[in-house]
Every structure is written in C-alpha cells, then in structure tokens.
Amino acid sequence: MSTSTRKHTALPKAQTLVEALPWLTRHHGRTVVIKFGGNAMVDESLKAAFAQDVVFLRHAGLRPVVVHGGGPQISAALDRHGIVSEFKAGLRVTTEDAMDVVRMVLAGQVQRELVGLLNQHGPLAVGLTGEDAHTITATRHRPRVDGELIDIGRVGEITEIDTGAIETLLADDRIPVVSSIARSQDDGHVYNVNADTAAAALAAALGAETLMVLTDVEGLYEDWPHSDEVISRLTATELEKLLPELSSGMVPKMEGCLHAVRNGVRTARVIDGRVQHSILLEIFTDEGIGTMVVPDEPDTPGES
C-alpha cells in the first residue's frame, strides 16, 4: 500500500476520533444508564455490537449501567411451559407460575447471555436483579381500566431504589447488568417490573448524565403515520403534551424519559437499536440519532 493510499484511509479515521474528543471530555466519569431491548436483544450481530459499544463506553471513562427486560424470551418460555399468556387492557397478567418463568428467563437466560457477551472483552460485567441488595422495591400494580382497578398478578410498581450495590460495582470499574425484577415491599414475593420504567428510576436515583432507551424505531415521530420525520429534540413539557397521542409501546419509554429528566438526569434519549453501534453514534458524534429529551429551561412557562 502506497503512502498516499494509507493517508487517505487513515485520515477519515483520525477525523472521527477527533470529532469524539469533546464528547469524551464531557462524558468522562459520568454514569449512563442503557435500557437494552427490541431487535438489539434478539439479533446476534446487534447483540455483539451492543456489547462492544458498552465496553467502549467503559474504556472511554464513562460508567455504563445496563438494564434489560425480555418480552420475546418470556413469551417463548411460557409457551414451552404450557402457560397461556393472558392480557388485560394490553398488559400481561403475571400469575405465580408465570412469575417463576419470568424470573428464570430474565436472571438465568437473558442476563447471563449479556454478561457473557460483555465479559468476552475482560472481567467487566456483573449481573444482578432488582432483588439483590434491595436494588428495586415494588408494590402490586393495579391499573385502572374504565374506572375500575384490575388485578394483573405479580406486576410491580416501583416504590424505592437502593443504588448501593450498583455504586459499589461502578466504583470497582465493573459494568452492572440489571434484570427488571423487584423485591416486594409488603409480602415477601417478587414482581415483574417494566424494564423501561426500571431503567428510568435507576437513572434518576444514580444521578446519571444520560438515560438511553433502545427501541425498534428511529425515534419519536413528528406526525406518525402521516410522516416519518423524527423529532430530534424536545423538552419535558413538550413531551408531556405528546404523551396522550403516543402508541402504547412508546408510552412507558417516553414516560421513563420524562421521569428521568424531571429528576436530575441531564438528557434522555430514545435511539434505534436496529442500527449497529447506535449508542456510540448517539454519544460521540455531533449529529446523534434518535430523539433526545431535555429538562425544561428554568423560565419555561408551566414549570413548577
């Protein structure tokens, strides 16, 4: 390879690294909570790229924390066990038997695989569930449908976060990988909690710089389905006004982003997990991808 050819191939790489410099400086030592889900969770090449991104963040001086659920894997395991998935008002009813399977899948399958992928790059990741060291505490979630409270079993509403175990792991330069299972506040059982909600609650409790939620869409659309224009940035108040119009799958993600930025997290982002290395693109490039939610300006009308 001639010297001139080497220059041409090397220069773009150098420019990319230089572009990342202000972001590396800004984020150094900061905590970033990443909700792992969607296609990134089931596609082998996306899973591998996700693990590389998280390890890159850690080596670049950030403190990544990964939170995951496992909807597709849970559905498949319930089928294998002959447990019928019942839904009420769009929410999965989690019976005692189903909860055993949920716990097994999240803590014993999805988490283990993710920890294994991260640890191909060194002794970095440590798995825990919300049960460990009282990390996530919940009480029974009874959604209101048509004015009536309904029982959907062992589905929890988060009441408390204890970040002690996660902080200890971060101080030891480890990458915590947290399964979205919570201990019960009142009856000695465990609860299945929404992973988007859990990630947002952890981000707020950890004082994270950023919450990142991986999805199977490009971000929040301006006027779906009439337009596929993605809103690149909006404030908490702007998001709050949009919430009633969102599709049911986007609601917990965007409510999570809203909760995070209203509770001390500097930015919350919904990004397309179908794009390889979307996390690095979002954190270390000028353009970024997806939708970023920011706190209201102090002088925004309507803010308390």
Side-chain angles (χ1 to χ4, degrees):
M1 190 188 284
S2 71
T3 305
S4 61
T5 310
R6 275 206 306 276
K7 277 182 187 164
H8 285 306
T9 56
L11 197 56
K13 292 176 184 172
Q15 285 166 337
T16 302
L17 290 169
V18 169
E19 186 186 336
L21 184 58
W23 307 106
L24 283 166
T25 308
R26 179 181 301 180
H27 295 301
H28 193 86
R30 302 289 171 84
T31 301
V32 53
V33 175
I34 305 163
K35 177 350 185 73
F36 178 60
N39 268 331
M41 191 180 240
V42 290
D43 177 286
E44 295 303 322
S45 61
L46 289 173
K47 272 194 280 200
F50 174 82
Q52 287 173 331
D53 285 8
V54 173
V55 171
F56 187 98
L57 295 185
R58 153 74 176 67
H59 285 303
L62 285 82
R63 301 179 352 143
V65 175
V66 179
V67 180
H68 72 88
Q73 294 91 334
I74 289 168
S75 295
L78 289 172
D79 286 348
R80 282 198 306 274
H81 284 80
I83 299 171
V84 178
S85 290
E86 185 194 347
F87 289 85
K88 286 185 185 174
L91 297 163
R92 187 200 300 273
V93 177
T94 307
T95 60
E96 298 292 340
D97 287 347
M99 188 63 226
D100 287 342
V101 174
V102 168
R103 199 184 198 181
M104 180 178 72
V105 170
L106 293 183
Q109 179 189 332
V110 181
Q111 183 202 91
R112 291 295 93 207
E113 184 179 16
L114 191 46
V115 166
L117 283 168
L118 291 164
N119 285 343
Q120 285 176 7
H121 305 278
L124 300 168
V126 178
L128 63 157
T129 80
E131 300 166 73
D132 294 314
H134 292 191
T135 298
I136 305 174
T137 300
T139 189
R140 188 179 289 259
H141 174 52
R142 284 194 168 88
R144 193 176 285 278
V145 179
D146 299 330
E148 224 177 295
L149 290 173
I150 61 168
D151 186 1
I152 51 172
R154 301 223 65 82
V155 176
E157 196 165 319
I158 297 170
T159 55
E160 204 177 324
I161 298 283
D162 184 332
T163 59
I166 292 174
E167 294 278 13
T168 300
L169 289 168
L170 290 171
D172 194 31
D173 287 333
R174 307 293 179 184
I175 301 170
V177 178
V178 187
S179 304
S180 57
I181 304 164
R183 68 183 280 269
S184 169
Q185 180 178 291
D186 33 39
D187 63 10
H189 288 279
V190 295
Y191 285 110
N192 186 13
V193 292
N194 180 289
D196 297 313
T197 311
L202 279 168
L206 286 162
E209 166 84 2
T210 296
L211 167 68
M212 303 181 85
V213 181
L214 269 65
T215 64
D216 284 341
V217 292
E218 292 169 74
L220 196 57
Y221 294 112
E222 190 91 52
D223 186 22
W224 185 261
H226 309 295
S227 156
D228 60 0
E229 195 69 31
V230 170
I231 304 169
S232 60
R233 183 181 186 277
L234 73 171
T235 66
T237 295
E238 288 167 343
L239 172 57
E240 196 166 35
K241 286 175 187 157
L242 286 178
L243 279 176
E245 301 160 28
L246 299 182
S247 65
S248 59
M250 265 323 239
V251 169
K253 294 173 180 16
M254 299 319 299
E255 281 182 342
C257 288
L258 186 61
H259 173 82
V261 299
R262 285 240 161 109
N263 288 276
V265 178
R266 195 173 296 190
T267 62
R269 305 138 188 260
V270 172
I271 60 172
D272 192 344
R274 301 168 303 176
V275 176
Q276 284 213 357
H277 304 299
S278 54
I279 293 169
L280 297 188
L281 290 169
E282 181 63 29
I283 287 196
F284 294 125
T285 68
D286 295 335
E287 292 83 18
I289 58 171
T291 297
M292 179 163 77
V293 184
V294 296
D296 293 316
E297 295 297 326
D299 56 353
T300 301
E303 192 182 42
S304 56

